[in-house]
Amino acid sequence: MPKIPVADTGTEPPAGTDERIDKALMRLCARGGTYNHDMVAEEAGVSRRTVYRRFADQKALRAHVWQLLSPPAGMPDDRERLLGGGLYETFRNFEAKAEEMTVGMASPEGRAMRNDRKQERERSYRAMFGESVAALDAADATAALAVIQLLGSGLAWREMRDQWDLDADAMGRAATWAIKALMADLEQRGSRPLDA
């Protein structure tokens, strides 16, 4: 995953500062609500300036929280990898950060964080599954891609966990099956509308 650009630091912070800030961000995320540079500084026990040196603005702060919550590989970009075990990894990662994910999915900051990645997410899924929806009209192609993306998302993780008591591996298995079933349908469907 590419490193999110941050403000010029000028001087190096003391050893362990980045880790303290990351842990503070996760604690704030788990509490819900909004957070800002001042709150992060107070929670981490560092100066406001130190946080601003690392994150130039609120968008950069949210982008880093997104990195902390996301699987190490970041936004999926390889369909074979995603369907060959990547969804299992995604759901295991979400489960390992269950407290932060649960609150983050329901908070305004979490929504803003997800929306900040909208274009990146759309590009990724169009690149991975674009050929599978190429015969559909534009609206149906977008709808099919949206469903495919939803199946491997934090929202799907939360619902399968809270409403169905599935563990991460059961989620990975179910989501992989569902996406493969959709791909098989799309292959047979050709240009027929989704509701045909």
Side-chain angles (χ1 to χ4, degrees):
M1 166 181 272
K3 195 91 161 129
I4 299 296
V6 296
D8 181 18
T9 60
T11 60
E12 286 298 312
T17 300
D18 287 351
E19 185 179 347
R20 286 170 57 195
I21 290 172
D22 288 353
K23 287 180 178 180
L25 279 166
M26 289 295 88
R27 287 192 301 273
L28 289 167
C29 186
R31 289 182 201 146
T34 60
Y35 46 85
N36 59 36
H37 290 69
D38 291 337
M39 295 166 75
V40 173
E42 183 176 335
E43 184 72 26
V46 300
S47 73
R48 180 176 190 256
R49 184 175 178 191
T50 298
V51 178
Y52 269 103
R53 282 180 172 167
R54 190 162 176 215
F55 308 108
D57 55 27
Q58 189 69 14
K59 190 169 184 172
L61 194 63
R62 280 197 304 259
H64 187 68
V65 173
W66 177 267
Q67 280 185 329
L68 293 172
L69 292 174
S70 296
M75 193 74 69
D77 60 3
D78 182 306
R79 182 169 77 179
E80 299 310 315
R81 185 179 177 290
L82 182 73
L83 298 176
L87 286 167
Y88 288 77
E89 292 171 24
T90 295
F91 291 125
R92 287 176 192 145
N93 177 76
F94 292 161
E95 194 61 33
K97 300 166 185 167
E99 186 177 0
E100 295 88 349
M101 286 292 298
T102 300
V103 174
M105 298 305 297
S107 72
E109 280 295 329
R111 182 183 171 116
M113 220 174 11
R114 290 190 305 279
N115 288 342
D116 285 347
R117 309 254 66 83
K118 182 181 184 300
Q119 291 179 340
E120 179 186 0
R121 184 179 300 107
E122 185 175 332
R123 276 193 306 272
S124 175
Y125 278 83
R126 286 191 186 280
M128 286 191 295
F129 296 97
E131 68 183 46
S132 297
V133 299
L136 298 174
D137 73 24
D140 278 358
T142 297
L145 291 170
V147 171
I148 290 169
Q149 181 270 318
L150 177 65
L151 288 167
S153 71
L155 295 168
W157 165 81
R158 185 184 67 188
E159 289 303 298
M160 287 190 278
R161 181 179 196 263
D162 291 352
Q163 303 304 317
W164 296 97
D165 301 319
L166 297 184
D167 66 19
D169 287 347
M171 292 175 203
R173 183 171 177 247
T176 300
W177 161 77
I179 293 173
K180 286 180 176 179
L182 287 172
M183 289 174 57
D185 174 82
L186 289 165
E187 190 175 319
Q188 303 261 335
R189 175 171 300 283
S191 62
R192 288 182 298 126
L194 294 181
D195 55 359

